[in-house]
Amino acid sequence: MRPLTRKLTRDLLHLKGQMFAVMAVVACGITVYVSMSSVKYSLEASRWSYYSRYRFGDLFLQVRRAPETWRETVSRIPGVATVATRIVTDVMLDVPGLDEPATGRLISIPERDAPVLNGLFIVSGRTIEPGRTDEVVASRSFMEANGLKPGARVGAVVNGRWKELRIVGSGLSPEYIYEVQPGSFFPDKRRFGVFWISRKSLESALDMDGAFNDLSLRLAHGASEKEVIIRLDQLFSRYGSLGAYGRDEQMSDRFISDEIKQLGTQITVLPAIFLAVAVFLLNIVLQRLVSTQRDQIAVLKAMGYSNAEIGLHYLGFALVPTAAGALLGSAFGAWLGTRLVRIYGDFYNFAELVYVFRPQNLMVAVLLSALAAVAGALTALGRAVRLPPAEAMRPEAPPLYRPGLLDRGGFGQRFTVPVRVIVRNIERRPWKSAVSVIMIALSIAILIAGRYTYDAVDRMSAVEFGEKHREDVTVIFTDPMPPSVSYAIASLPGVLEHEYYREEPARLSFGHRTRRQTLRGLASAEGLQRLVDADLHRVDLPSGGLLLTTKLAEILGVKPGDRLHVQLLQGARRSAEVPVAGTIDEILGLSAYMRLESLDRLAGDGGALNAVSLRIDPDRQNALYRQFKLMPGVSGIMMLKALRRSFDELIAESMTTSTLILTTFACVLAFAIVYNGARISLSERARELSSLRVLGLTKAEIAFILLGEQALFCLAAMPLGILIGIGLSALLSVALSSELYRLPISFTPANFIFALAVLVTVAAASGLAVRRRLVTLDLIAVLKTRE
């Protein structure tokens, strides 16, 4: 073994605590990078494979009813490669073992030939047999949530007639990776499911022989999506088309795309923070090492070692712990990635979600750690290489003495000697002290940002399910109904309060910007459904004009006072110029509100309603549920309490995992910074502290001097860390928000208390570790050290 290698090994063992801290911080950063990047790639690869294998459509269109002969017309549009038509309808379900009514989406599939687009993957059981009009394949998540097996039967009200459906298999489709009931943002696996049934069965039940109401198509390579959408809208406007749209507006694809985008943000932000801290730790460790080994550097140069050899020797102090951290982080990141993929597999419905660890991830991890090592060692290496042997043999010049804050006007006499020593040392090295405070503050910020998403989601739940929606049940009608229907429902025994609303699909235009959007007409903003913004402020409906969500107004480029061109997409398809009366900063989705009477006038009819919200008597709810299951003209029911329960369960699982991971990593970060700071301070001031011991100070007093300085750093870092944590959370809010939802800036006191408690705990633990070394300090050996 070469002499420099032996020296490197010996010194690394002597500095094992500090090197381990550096390795742990690097490992945390690389773990986050490797796990998140591999999960992101796994989701992207699984989605692409799923879409390709089962031929997920590029464009989609829903109509009221169109002749099947139009399929050939669509296939001749330039840029269209494949066309598929089908029949889709929502029905009420009576599920064994479920008291509440459920909603089922029936989708027609061919009896013999495989579907051309949006193919069906059979998970268990089999597909439907020709001629068996009662057979269906149910979505896997619905069957698992209700404990159903192939052979089970469910009742359904299809076009006002009772029909018993026999489940022969469970299946998945790329169209429903995120399976959610229309009109909702949160999945309710027990009360909403997708069912694939023979086309002949739906044609007969809905009187749709030779017709379709849903169209999907794939585009040829290089085709213009916008031009094809324009042609489709022109062709099907007479058939009640609500407008064609691409994958970017398809609910399932939008959710999974947003999730992948969020992973990309996490890949960038968190590893950067950890590696920046690693650079800082390496810098201060190596600066101190070069300072204490000045005479050794002089001897090495006098013995003939070149600047390059000495520089590489000291670079080893940086490369060894970072390389070990990179390897450990890569291994742990791969393990963590497999666990995260399993969580995503529970949340999203993939036919096959496989974890893929790419060699590129390992290569990038090694490269990132190497860059961190070189960046951290650069300043110290420069000092080691530039140090002339003659100068290195002399002790380092002590810093110039200047009167400090406590030395002016006898003010310092009011404080004890340990306090004055602490203050003077901080004043002597202000930049080092400031950087130490910032690094500790970063660990607090990561803890706050890690729990911020939990606080934000909790606020979302409180706003949506507590303040905005106060109904128990929402009954959704298959077709628009006259207002008198609401009174028939309100007269049912057990209904305490009712409120109906109207929804009209429309195209909103302002200049060159256009958006398909549903207009919701409300009778009041203070009923069962309130208008509440992210800050829990209630907003009134304007007396005239539109109330847009802030995000929708931003997309359209409008502000209050501007006039939007509104074209309704069904009925008489009337259009008008409607003023934007105001905006509301809602958390979920994009919405446009109007007063109900204003929307009725815009539509030019006598009024209609699409759904009724109800508050019901808990003692009579089961009897009501039985009536709802058999009620004709109802396409679905949303249960508010069930949605909230499902939402909380799903979020609790994912948030608990992510919070635990970030909390662990932040604890490692905080411990590494505080412990390293205390250890380096001990090595730098060992002679000073030993001299104070000889002069009569007790062990407790010199421990107070050393650890009190670190305690001051921690105290100073607390408010700064809270501010940085709030700022980092605000950046995450912007980066993780999308059109589907916006994360509100919301913090609970428990978040800040938890972050500060973690810092105090790790600071106390690192203080105890350093104190053991301090009380066993060899005074004779230290005082023999040459200055």
Side-chain angles (χ1 to χ4, degrees):
M1 184 182 292
R2 297 176 58 191
L4 285 182
T5 305
R6 289 199 298 272
K7 177 180 179 300
L8 175 63
T9 303
R10 185 175 63 251
D11 288 342
L12 285 173
L13 291 174
H14 178 68
L15 299 170
K16 57 182 178 294
Q18 293 157 269
M19 293 295 104
F20 181 80
V22 173
M23 182 195 72
V25 172
V26 172
C28 289
I30 298 303
T31 296
V32 174
Y33 174 80
V34 170
S35 61
M36 295 302 182
S37 59
S38 56
V39 169
K40 179 176 180 287
Y41 179 78
S42 298
L43 287 177
E44 289 176 332
S46 299
R47 180 180 64 167
W48 180 87
S49 174
Y50 197 11
Y51 284 1
S52 176
R53 185 176 178 183
Y54 292 93
R55 303 168 298 282
F56 186 43
D58 294 318
L59 293 179
F60 308 91
L61 176 76
Q62 284 80 47
V63 295
R64 297 284 295 176
R65 176 191 174 101
E68 181 66 22
T69 54
W70 280 89
R71 175 177 176 175
E72 183 64 28
T73 304
V74 173
S75 66
R76 291 196 296 268
I77 296 176
V80 173
T82 310
V83 182
T85 61
R86 59 186 182 176
I87 302 172
V88 178
T89 188
D90 293 338
V91 299
M92 294 299 302
L93 298 177
D94 183 12
V95 181
L98 184 65
D99 293 332
E100 302 97 330
T103 302
R105 168 153 287 194
L106 302 184
I107 301 176
S108 70
I109 56 175
E111 291 185 344
R112 291 183 173 83
D113 301 327
V116 178
L117 297 178
N118 308 322
L120 178 61
F121 169 69
I122 301 299
V123 179
S124 63
R126 59 174 175 82
T127 189
I128 61 176
E129 291 183 350
R132 303 299 298 268
T133 59
D134 64 332
E135 292 186 348
V136 295
V137 175
S139 55
R140 181 184 64 183
S141 58
F142 179 81
M143 292 185 64
E144 290 178 349
N146 287 285
L148 302 177
K149 301 292 183 182
R153 295 178 181 272
V154 296
V157 179
V158 184
N159 198 22
R161 294 187 292 271
W162 178 261
K163 185 178 181 66
E164 190 173 71
L165 305 176
R166 187 164 67 92
I167 299 174
V168 296
S170 66
L172 296 171
S173 170
E175 196 175 6
Y176 292 97
I177 292 178
Y178 185 73
E179 188 174 316
V180 63
Q181 184 175 354
S184 175
F185 286 90
F186 311 119
D188 185 358
K189 297 179 180 180
R190 288 205 71 189
R191 296 162 189 84
F192 176 75
V194 182
F195 295 78
W196 291 269
I197 189 171
S198 75
R199 180 152 183 173
K200 287 184 178 179
S201 178
L202 281 187
E203 285 179 343
S204 174
L206 301 176
D207 191 24
M208 294 278 286
D209 188 28
F212 67 90
N213 63 8
D214 189 276
L215 180 143
S216 303
L217 55 88
R218 293 287 292 270
L219 298 177
H221 179 70
S224 171
E225 179 180 291
K226 184 177 181 180
E227 291 180 2
V228 175
I229 288 177
I230 292 173
R231 290 282 294 127
L232 288 173
D233 290 345
Q234 291 172 347
L235 288 174
F236 290 97
S237 61
R238 73 186 73 174
Y239 297 107
S241 166
L242 303 182
Y245 56 93
R247 284 185 186 175
D248 59 335
E249 294 187 49
Q250 201 267 345
M251 179 65 76
S252 173
D253 185 77
R254 286 173 68 182
F255 265 97
I256 190 66
S257 297
D258 286 344
E259 187 66 42
I260 292 173
K261 175 186 173 183
Q262 292 172 8
L263 286 172
T265 300
Q266 295 173 4
I267 291 169
T268 305
V269 176
L270 294 180
I273 293 176
F274 282 101
L275 292 180
V277 173
V279 169
F280 163 74
L281 294 179
L282 284 170
N283 184 269
I284 60 176
V285 169
L286 294 181
Q287 289 273 21
R288 174 57 190 161
L289 190 65
V290 170
S291 178
T292 57
Q293 294 191 359
R294 288 167 59 91
D295 54 347
Q296 297 181 30
I297 293 173
V299 171
L300 290 174
K301 288 191 174 184
M303 293 175 62
Y305 285 98
S306 65
N307 287 339
E309 290 175 310
I310 294 174
L312 288 174
H313 167 68
Y314 282 95
L315 182 60
F317 288 95
L319 290 178
V320 170
T322 52
L327 293 177
L328 180 64
S330 297
F332 188 66
W335 175 83
L336 180 61
T338 60
R339 299 304 185 270
L340 292 175
V341 164
R342 290 180 185 177
I343 294 176
Y344 279 110
D346 294 336
F347 197 77
Y348 295 105
N349 300 311
F350 283 94
E352 185 178 23
L353 181 54
V354 180
Y355 176 76
V356 181
F357 181 81
R358 298 186 300 169
Q360 295 95 311
N361 292 338
L362 180 59
M363 294 171 60
V364 173
V366 172
L367 177 61
L368 289 175
S369 60
L371 290 175
V374 172
L378 205 56
T379 304
L381 290 178
R383 287 185 58 190
V385 169
R386 290 193 304 267
L387 200 58
E391 181 182 341
M393 294 298 293
R394 296 197 302 267
E396 192 171 6
L400 294 175
Y401 173 77
R402 293 185 181 88
L405 178 65
L406 300 183
D407 298 314
R408 300 187 180 97
F411 180 67
Q413 300 304 318
R414 303 177 184 179
F415 298 92
T416 63
V417 171
V419 172
R420 295 203 298 271
V421 172
I422 290 173
V423 174
R424 285 170 182 166
N425 191 62
I426 294 175
E427 289 180 327
R428 191 172 63 179
R429 298 177 177 177
W431 288 109
K432 177 183 175 182
S433 300
V435 173
S436 297
V437 170
I438 292 173
M439 293 296 107
I440 297 173
L442 281 176
S443 64
I444 299 175
I446 291 178
L447 281 166
I448 292 173
R451 289 179 61 89
Y452 154 71
T453 52
Y454 187 88
D455 288 344
V457 170
D458 190 56
R459 168 59 71 89
M460 291 171 64
S461 177
V463 171
E464 289 298 314
F465 298 114
E467 294 294 328
K468 182 177 179 180
H469 292 280
R470 300 188 304 123
E471 72 275 13
D472 297 317
V473 175
T474 297
V475 180
I476 304 170
F477 297 109
T478 306
D479 297 303
M481 295 287 186
S484 58
V485 173
S486 67
Y487 300 105
I489 293 180
S491 64
L492 295 174
V495 174
L496 302 178
E497 189 176 352
H498 78 286
E499 178 181 280
Y500 62 89
Y501 61 87
R502 178 175 187 171
E503 290 187 333
E504 286 291 335
R507 181 175 287 107
L508 308 182
S509 303
F510 184 77
H512 66 282
R513 303 188 183 190
T514 299
R515 185 80 182 187
R516 289 191 321 118
Q517 179 64 44
T518 298
L519 304 182
R520 174 170 288 198
L522 299 175
S524 169
E526 292 294 330
L528 293 177
Q529 294 190 33
R530 296 172 174 173
L531 297 182
V532 181
D533 65 14
D535 297 322
L536 299 180
H537 297 145
R538 296 184 187 177
V539 179
D540 291 330
L541 279 170
S543 57
L546 287 165
L547 179 68
L548 306 180
T549 53
T550 305
K551 186 65 177 179
L552 179 57
E554 178 187 325
I555 293 171
L556 291 170
V558 298
K559 59 184 182 299
D562 292 335
R563 299 185 70 85
L564 274 174
H565 180 76
V566 178
Q567 180 187 5
L568 301 183
L569 298 178
Q570 64 183 11
R573 304 179 71 90
R574 292 162 60 102
S575 62
E577 298 291 324
V578 182
V580 177
T583 61
I584 177 173
D585 185 20
E586 286 191 332
I587 293 175
L588 293 179
L590 305 175
S591 298
Y593 299 102
M594 295 183 72
R595 285 197 175 273
L596 185 59
E597 58 269 22
S598 299
L599 185 55
D600 289 342
R601 285 196 301 269
L602 181 62
D605 54 28
L609 61 89
N610 298 90
V612 176
S613 300
L614 306 173
R615 190 167 63 85
I616 61 178
D617 184 352
D619 295 332
R620 298 186 176 184
Q621 63 181 12
N622 289 334
L624 270 175
Y625 292 156
R626 286 192 292 271
Q627 288 182 278
F628 288 150
K629 290 179 182 181
L630 302 175
M631 189 174 291
V634 174
S635 64
I637 286 184
M638 286 192 290
M639 317 289 297
L640 190 71
K641 292 180 181 178
L643 277 175
R644 182 167 192 170
R645 190 162 53 247
S646 174
F647 173 76
D648 290 341
E649 290 173 357
L650 288 170
I651 293 302
E653 181 182 4
S654 59
M655 288 293 122
T656 300
T657 302
S658 61
T659 301
L660 178 62
I661 293 171
L662 284 178
T663 299
T664 303
F665 289 172
C667 289
V668 171
L669 184 65
F671 183 84
I673 294 171
V674 177
Y675 175 77
N676 240 340
R679 285 285 289 115
I680 291 171
S681 182
L682 175 61
S683 63
E684 289 177 338
R685 304 172 65 188
R687 183 178 177 84
E688 173 191 341
L689 296 175
S690 298
S691 299
L692 292 174
R693 283 278 290 117
V694 172
L695 291 174
L697 267 68
T698 64
K699 292 181 179 179
E701 288 175 318
I702 63 169
F704 177 79
I705 291 173
L706 183 66
L707 300 180
E709 181 178 316
Q710 300 303 314
L712 282 179
F713 291 162
C714 291
L715 287 174
M718 286 179 180
L720 181 61
I722 290 174
L723 291 176
I724 297 175
I726 293 173
L728 182 59
S729 299
L731 291 176
L732 286 175
S733 172
V734 174
L736 300 181
S737 296
S738 66
E739 291 183 11
L740 294 175
Y741 55 86
R742 272 78 59 194
L743 292 180
I745 305 296
S746 176
F747 301 94
T748 59
N751 188 332
F752 301 121
I753 293 172
F754 176 79
L756 298 182
V758 169
L759 175 64
V760 170
T761 303
V762 298
S766 61
L768 289 174
V770 173
R771 189 177 186 280
R772 283 198 298 268
R773 289 181 173 273
L774 185 63
V775 297
T776 59
L777 201 62
D778 189 342
L779 303 183
I780 304 299
V782 172
L783 291 174
K784 285 181 179 179
T785 304
R786 181 176 63 89
E787 285 288 353

